[in-house]
Amino acid sequence: GVTAVLDRAFEALANPHRREIVARLADGPLTTPELGRAFDMSKQALSRHVHVLESAGFVTRRPHGRVHELRLEPQPLDDIAAWTDLRRAAWERNLDRLDAVLTDTADPNQETDR
């Protein structure tokens, strides 16, 4: 469900190396050697990070012979943005209700900045 998708997305982005991979791929596709040159880690470690991002739907891989091209997929980021927007709207509604309660209970004899 949606919760599992968001869990995988947030887990994938919990690692700073994976966030950096996403940021680099946001500028356009890269081959695995190009991406590897940007990081001070083994090929195996980079491959594990890319695999986590693939599993979460952030990255797709297209083989071109022995080299793979990696592309960023927007859907997981869109899912996170939609979830965040819903949380923000709920929070703003709660703050508006709190403001209304505080305004209604304010001492009418007390000067306000309004």
Side-chain angles (χ1 to χ4, degrees):
V2 172
T3 301
V5 169
L6 285 172
D7 286 349
R8 279 193 307 276
F10 282 121
E11 287 171 17
L13 294 179
N15 182 282
H17 294 298
R18 292 193 289 264
R19 288 193 304 272
E20 180 62 24
I21 291 169
V22 168
R24 288 181 183 272
L25 292 176
D27 292 334
L30 293 170
T31 63
T32 46
E34 289 170 334
L35 188 61
R37 286 192 289 274
F39 292 92
D40 184 24
M41 68 177 72
S42 69
K43 288 181 183 179
Q44 293 79 14
L46 182 62
S47 179
R48 283 192 300 272
H49 286 302
V50 170
H51 179 72
V52 169
L53 290 169
E54 284 179 292
S55 295
F58 282 101
V59 173
T60 55
R61 182 188 303 250
R62 291 193 179 129
H64 295 285
R66 294 179 56 175
V67 175
H68 293 185
E69 179 185 79
L70 304 172
R71 289 182 176 272
L72 182 64
E73 295 297 328
Q75 190 58 53
L77 294 171
D78 292 343
D79 293 341
I80 290 172
W83 181 85
T84 304
D85 289 344
L86 287 173
R87 301 291 79 73
R88 180 182 295 130
W91 184 40
E92 288 173 354
R93 283 191 305 276
N94 288 337
L95 289 175
D96 289 345
R97 285 195 295 263
L98 177 61
D99 186 48
V101 167
L102 294 175
T103 301
D104 288 346
T105 60
D107 183 354
N109 296 323
Q110 184 179 7
E111 289 188 29
T112 63
D113 292 338
R114 293 182 183 213

